[in-house]
Amino acid sequence: MSKMSKHSNCENDTSARSRLFGYGLTVLLSSALLLVLEIVAGRLLAPWIGVSLYTWTSIIGVILAGLSLGNWLGGVWADRGGSGRSVGTVLGLAGLYCILSLIGIDTLGSRLQEAEASLLSASFALAAALFFLPAVFIGIVTPLLTTLALRLDARAGHVVGRMHALAAVGSILGTFAAGYWLVQWIGSRALVLMCGILLMLLAVPFLRGARRSTQTALSLAVSVALAGLLLSHGLAGSCERESRYFCMRVVEQPTPPEAGPTRGLVLDHLLHGINHRTEPSLLVAPYVHALDELAAAHFGERYAEGLRWFFAGGGAYSLPRAVESLSPDSSITVAELDPLVTLTAVESLGLDPAPMHIVHRDARLALQSEAEPFDVIVGDVFHDVAIPPHLVTREFAALVRERLAPDGLYLMNVVDTLPDPLLIKSLINTLQTAFAQVDIWMDHVPEAERVTFVISATNGTPLPDTIIARHGFVRRWQRMTDAVLGYGRDPRELPILTDDYAPVERLIAGLLIGESQ
């Protein structure tokens, strides 16, 4: 063999290795970007539909459906002559669609809210409209590039296995990078834009040999999309801050003129508390006011003398602020999962954290680590309309009973529907395994289906049937236990919630998907 022939073969081998490396890198990065989009989808959609099991089911199902369709189309396209330019085209389209989705998300979300779509249909519609096509386009990439790689390397098993492994590794890297770092440091909308730009950059090497008209058309489309994004303020989302858990913002709240200035904390798309700027004892939300008045009625003069309080969930810190103001000698422990929620409350909602012991930890783990008994334990942990299942189970109720003083009081607020609140009934069943006296309290029977219920549980002296507010807004609460439990589904037909079986979303299906289960 001549020296020239050997040199030519060497160049061919080097070129083949370079192209194989480029194909593998493209599969790795495109798969990573798809999983970044999947993780950020939950945060991007949260201001419109919140976060629940149904939301994540819609997002994951839609993206998997798009990826599956893309894999099939990519295989067919490869058999019919798909080339590197085909890869560049779909990557460019995926990146372009990411930018366009930022332009349309607010309009689509508003239309779905105006149409009063159920959470199930709204979450599926948003996920499908925003993420199905990018998943299809990215799904096309792997089979196309695997076929192209097989033309350079005859080891079919080696090539196919390598490409699948790179796709899987890319997905893993994208998941961890988005969940642990990117969303918190970049923000959801900026992250979607970044994914779009990176997908288009991945397309560039494959489009270098494309016709000039194709390159011009794609460049023009990208320019128009970016201009539309800037003009529509598509990067200006509703989040003032994004943490690893929430999209959050502080809003001015309209209240009666005599109440004075108040602000509310919105986490995802739900208002989680309203604080008076200068009067911490003024509790605007009726259910928060009820929690305080129930504790005062239960303990009488001991309330003002100081009690040991444990709060599962901080949120806007409305009640901890009020307790610190009304009973300065109280010991207050707050388990708030998200440090940024606490920081927001300090900076914008009038919280002085100095008199409190604040633990940024899961409430169940934090309560488990406490040795001294508490007089009052307050469960204020619902997120969106759902509630963390591990904080409503029989096992958690037993833990609360163990951490309460013998005459201690457990209070919680839970969102459910009227006239037949199935989750509330299951919660009563569950709490009755640990407490002798469990009651439901309401200040009125609302016309709306969605209601925030207040529940009390104790092994001490039962509370009176009527609780009258001793300060702040003129309100009174009635014991409604028999009325609520006596209407609709027999509570005995509903489950006791356990760590092994706590179907919270099914029990509040009336809120989530408009059906009773």
Side-chain angles (χ1 to χ4, degrees):
M1 184 180 293
S2 67
K3 291 184 179 181
M4 184 176 294
S5 176
K6 289 181 181 180
H7 181 69
S8 176
N9 288 337
C10 184
E11 285 185 344
N12 289 337
D13 289 343
T14 302
S15 175
R17 284 196 295 269
S18 298
R19 292 166 67 186
L20 286 170
F21 176 81
Y23 294 164
L25 183 62
T26 301
V27 167
L28 177 81
L29 294 178
S30 62
S31 299
L33 291 171
L34 178 60
L35 265 293
V36 170
L37 290 173
E38 181 172 322
I39 296 298
V40 80
R43 178 55 54 79
L44 194 66
L45 304 187
W48 303 108
I49 56 176
V51 178
S52 70
L53 182 64
Y54 292 102
T55 305
W56 277 111
T57 299
S58 295
I59 291 169
I60 295 170
V62 162
I63 288 181
L64 284 176
L67 185 62
S68 300
L69 178 59
N71 286 164
W72 178 74
L73 291 174
V76 172
W77 200 348
D79 287 341
R80 296 182 179 179
S83 64
R85 286 191 292 274
S86 307
V87 175
T89 300
V90 294
L91 286 172
L93 290 173
L96 179 62
Y97 197 92
C98 288
I99 299 172
L100 294 175
S101 69
L102 293 173
I103 299 174
I105 182 174
D106 291 331
T107 300
L108 180 57
S110 298
R111 294 284 173 82
L112 289 170
Q113 284 189 339
E114 292 169 4
E116 298 183 352
S118 70
L119 180 58
L120 184 61
S121 57
S123 60
F124 181 80
L126 281 167
L130 300 175
F131 298 103
F132 180 73
L133 283 181
V136 171
F137 292 140
I138 294 173
I140 291 172
V141 170
T142 298
L144 270 178
L145 288 180
T146 300
T147 303
L148 294 177
L150 286 169
R151 297 173 185 170
L152 301 173
D153 188 338
R155 298 172 297 168
H158 185 83
V159 171
V160 172
R162 182 175 63 226
M163 289 302 206
H164 280 291
L166 288 170
V169 170
S171 299
I172 294 167
L173 292 175
T175 299
F176 285 119
Y180 288 166
W181 177 52
L182 294 174
V183 171
Q184 302 169 62
W185 288 97
I186 297 177
S188 55
R189 297 197 181 208
L191 186 52
V192 172
L193 176 61
M194 185 190 80
C195 287
I197 292 172
L198 289 176
L199 285 166
M200 288 186 286
L201 289 176
L202 282 177
V204 169
F206 295 97
L207 293 175
R208 281 185 299 185
R211 288 178 295 182
R212 180 158 297 183
S213 58
T214 301
Q215 296 177 349
T216 301
L218 187 58
S219 299
L220 181 61
V222 171
S223 300
V224 171
L226 288 172
L229 180 64
L230 293 174
L231 292 174
S232 66
H233 305 288
L235 289 176
S238 57
C239 305
E240 293 177 1
R241 281 175 163 166
E242 289 191 74
S243 71
R244 69 190 72 176
Y245 302 105
F246 299 111
C247 160
M248 61 187 74
R249 66 185 189 276
V250 174
V251 295
E252 302 295 330
Q253 284 296 117
T255 53
E258 64 271 17
T262 58
R263 286 179 172 177
L265 175 66
V266 178
L267 301 180
D268 292 336
H269 82 313
L270 183 70
L271 182 65
H272 272 252
I274 302 172
N275 289 1
H276 194 281
R277 295 189 193 178
T278 58
E279 296 292 336
S281 63
L282 185 62
L283 297 169
V284 178
Y287 74 88
V288 180
H289 197 178
L291 296 172
D292 180 63
E293 296 293 355
L294 286 166
H298 184 77
F299 290 100
E301 294 180 357
R302 288 177 56 195
Y303 177 97
E305 295 170 359
L307 301 169
R308 279 180 54 80
W309 293 73
F310 180 92
F311 290 89
Y317 284 79
S318 303
L319 188 51
R321 287 178 74 233
V323 170
E324 199 280 324
S325 173
L326 295 166
S327 179
D329 292 329
S330 289
S331 169
I332 301 171
T333 299
V334 184
E336 167 55 53
L337 188 62
D338 192 344
L340 201 54
V341 166
T342 301
L343 180 62
T344 301
V346 170
E347 293 180 349
S348 304
L349 296 167
L351 172 65
D352 178 9
M356 305 175 191
H357 175 52
I358 298 174
V359 182
H360 294 118
R361 193 180 184 190
D362 176 82
R364 182 162 170 171
L365 296 176
L367 184 59
Q368 211 162 20
S369 66
E370 294 288 340
E372 294 295 320
F374 293 94
D375 298 302
V376 188
I377 295 177
V378 180
D380 184 13
V381 291
F382 67 87
H383 56 81
D384 197 43
V385 295
I387 191 167
H390 70 294
L391 298 181
V392 293
T393 63
R394 178 177 58 196
E395 292 82 357
F396 183 68
L399 173 64
V400 170
R401 180 192 59 205
E402 291 172 4
R403 295 299 185 269
L404 276 174
D407 64 341
L409 181 66
Y410 179 41
L411 300 167
M412 65 187 306
N413 57 284
V414 181
V415 177
D416 205 342
T417 58
L418 275 179
D420 192 15
L422 303 186
L423 177 58
I424 292 294
K425 292 179 178 181
S426 268
L427 271 173
I428 298 299
N429 289 345
T430 303
L431 290 170
Q432 285 174 344
T433 65
F435 296 97
Q437 186 72 30
V438 182
D439 287 304
I440 302 167
W441 302 88
M442 300 178 70
D443 61 332
H444 70 289
V445 179
E447 296 180 1
E449 290 186 357
R450 174 173 167 161
V451 178
T452 301
F453 293 86
V454 174
I455 297 176
S456 68
T458 183
N459 286 321
T461 305
L463 287 155
D465 291 335
T466 301
I467 304 295
I468 300 174
R470 73 195 192 285
H471 71 90
F473 293 98
V474 178
R475 291 168 176 152
R476 66 170 59 205
W477 295 268
Q478 296 289 135
R479 188 195 315 273
M480 299 292 288
T481 315
D482 293 339
V484 172
L485 298 182
Y487 183 87
R489 187 84 65 89
D490 189 334
R492 291 172 295 184
E493 299 175 4
L494 296 170
I496 291 174
L497 305 174
T498 69
D499 285 350
D500 291 328
Y501 182 63
V504 171
E505 282 84 1
R506 176 170 68 82
L507 292 169
I508 57 170
L511 288 176
L512 300 176
I513 59 177
E515 298 177 3
S516 297
Q517 298 295 311

